[in-house]
Amino acid sequence: MDFTFTEEQQAAVEAAKAVFAGVAPDSVPSPALTPGAVADDFDRALWRKLADADLLSLPIAPEHGGAGLDPVALCLVLRESAKVLARVPLLEAGAAALTLQRYAAEELSAEVLPRIAVGDLVVTVAAGGRTGHEPAELAVKARQEGADWIFEGVQTAVPWAQTADRILLPAHTPEGHAVLALVPHTHPGITLDDQISTSGERLAEVRLDSVRLSAQETITDPHAWESLRNVLTTGTCALALGLGERVLAMTSDYTSKREQFGFPVATFQAVAVQAADRFIDLRAMEATLWQAAWRITTDAAGPLPPAGDVAVAKIWASEGVRRVVQTAQHLHGGFGADTDYALHRYHAWAKQLELSLGPAAAHEETLGDLLATHPLR
């Protein structure tokens, strides 16, 4: 078996590192220092740099101006973005592009994908449902009326919905089938109410009141929503991994320089053991992430469906990122709470990722249900 990344995937990582090298985490707006949302919009200057480096077009097919890479490549770039707390909708836009390319009508793909590739069209995704705890597709009802579709309901915690050009959101039909709608945030019948994430970023509650869309703007393939959800979840795990790796590196650097009783605190056994435990967490997060990304990319057969691998990745990511940041705060002592130091920003982002992924116990229950349905032999 060859576990190395392809040359194209490695080139994407190098390009991402070059772009993100210009981002200083200390300059990222802090939720502890900013009342309300930390900013009205995402980092447009960084977004333009990502477009110029062809990183927004990675998952888009060559016929639409992209590189035609897979979710693994997207996760590799997301991992790098989290290390510097990049304030861009890279996950949402990338997941939307992959889904639109695979399931949308040809006319819609030809209209939006080339514009997404060059950064001129920003697409975000609604995946929180009404409360963040229920299946997102159940929060919006969809029904056909002639050749059009009518959507009614609420999606909560939609990232940067106020400034994105379009929102890709799930809904359900009277028969219980999941569909996706690509709707402009200024479309008649759309109402946006401001919300704020734990990391201080701007979110929105999106209300749909008899929103009418054409059949071209509605994706009815029964696999589209599951595919989109898997890419979003796996991408979130990649963000958690990148953030955790950067935080552990900060902790290692600090404890190797901070001295007590004439010795670096990194040489103390209690400190070394805690850091080693967090290193193990990160390696488990990494292994389960790439397993899940590989399954959703290749549709390879396995003892469980891909949802099982995604559930395992979520278990490790949600628990692991919390443990890594909490240990970092502990080993930094009072310095970790200093708002002139970047760690408190990483802590806020880690908590937002943990909340986005949901509790490990819920994913363990999902995994248990899959094992009951698909007994291993």
Side-chain angles (χ1 to χ4, degrees):
M1 296 183 182
D2 184 0
F3 292 102
T4 59
F5 297 109
T6 66
E7 290 184 6
E8 293 82 2
Q9 291 166 345
Q10 293 177 31
V13 172
E14 294 306 313
K17 287 181 177 178
V19 172
F20 293 131
V23 180
D26 284 343
S27 68
V28 173
S30 166
L33 302 175
T34 310
V38 295
D40 291 332
D41 199 1
F42 59 86
D43 189 339
R44 292 279 178 172
L46 179 57
W47 191 250
R48 178 47 49 194
K49 291 178 182 178
L50 290 168
D52 292 342
D54 294 326
L55 288 170
L56 300 184
S57 63
L58 284 181
I60 296 175
E63 59 264 30
H64 296 303
L69 299 187
D70 53 27
V72 173
L74 176 62
C75 287
L76 283 166
V77 176
L78 289 169
R79 179 187 189 178
E80 297 303 318
S81 75
K83 293 178 182 179
V84 297
L85 306 180
R87 299 183 53 260
V88 287
L90 188 59
L91 169 60
E92 294 79 13
L98 283 165
T99 304
L100 292 167
Q101 180 171 265
R102 186 171 182 180
Y103 298 105
E106 185 175 341
E107 297 84 356
L108 182 60
S109 295
E111 174 195 347
V112 302
L113 289 178
R115 296 178 62 199
I116 294 174
V118 297
D120 290 344
L121 184 75
V122 180
V123 179
T124 189
V125 179
R130 182 183 293 272
T131 65
H133 300 288
E134 61 185 350
E137 70 274 17
L138 300 183
V140 177
K141 298 178 181 178
R143 71 178 191 277
Q144 280 188 284
E145 192 172 281
D148 296 335
W149 284 82
I150 308 298
F151 294 87
E152 296 187 25
V154 177
Q155 292 283 350
T156 194
V158 182
W160 292 301
Q162 299 90 337
T163 53
D165 298 298
R166 299 198 188 186
I167 304 168
L168 186 62
L169 58 88
H172 70 282
T173 67
E175 296 77 24
H177 303 308
V179 298
L180 294 174
L182 185 64
V183 55
H185 77 269
T186 57
H187 196 283
I190 294 286
T191 303
L192 304 179
D193 293 324
D194 282 352
Q195 296 176 319
I196 302 173
S197 73
T198 302
S199 57
E201 298 299 339
R202 197 176 182 195
L203 307 176
E205 182 182 77
V206 179
R207 293 184 174 272
L208 300 92
D209 184 12
S210 298
V211 173
R212 181 180 294 270
L213 296 177
S214 66
Q216 178 181 305
E217 298 168 297
T218 305
I219 301 172
T220 58
D221 190 293
H223 303 293
W225 166 232
E226 181 181 5
S227 176
L228 174 60
R229 183 176 57 206
N230 283 340
V231 174
L232 284 171
T233 301
T234 308
T236 305
C237 292
L239 292 172
L241 174 62
L243 187 149
E245 289 176 327
R246 177 59 184 144
V247 166
L248 187 60
M250 292 170 64
T251 306
S252 175
D253 182 66
Y254 176 78
T255 56
S256 66
K257 296 176 181 177
R258 177 76 167 90
E259 291 190 359
Q260 284 282 0
F261 311 112
F263 297 94
V265 297
T267 62
F268 298 169
Q269 186 178 39
V271 172
V273 167
Q274 291 183 70
D277 284 344
R278 301 297 76 82
F279 179 82
I280 293 170
D281 278 337
L282 289 172
R283 297 292 68 79
M285 291 167 65
E286 183 178 20
T288 55
L289 163 65
W290 299 130
Q291 172 71 11
W294 174 73
R295 285 295 305 277
I296 67 173
T297 296
T298 63
D299 291 325
L304 294 177
D309 297 280
V310 173
V312 173
K314 291 169 75 175
I315 291 168
W316 277 103
S318 62
E319 287 283 295
V321 73
R322 175 180 56 79
R323 287 195 293 256
V324 168
V325 176
Q326 285 182 344
T327 297
Q329 290 280 15
H330 176 63
L331 296 182
H332 274 82
F335 192 57
D338 189 340
T339 54
D340 290 331
Y341 186 58
L343 185 58
H344 79 283
R345 294 174 169 84
Y346 284 94
H347 199 158
W349 279 57
K351 179 54 67 174
Q352 180 61 36
L353 289 172
E354 181 189 354
L355 293 172
S356 298
L357 288 165
H363 312 319
E364 291 166 352
E365 184 176 348
T366 298
L367 184 60
D369 292 340
L370 288 169
L371 287 168
T373 307
H374 305 272
L376 303 180
R377 296 186 177 132

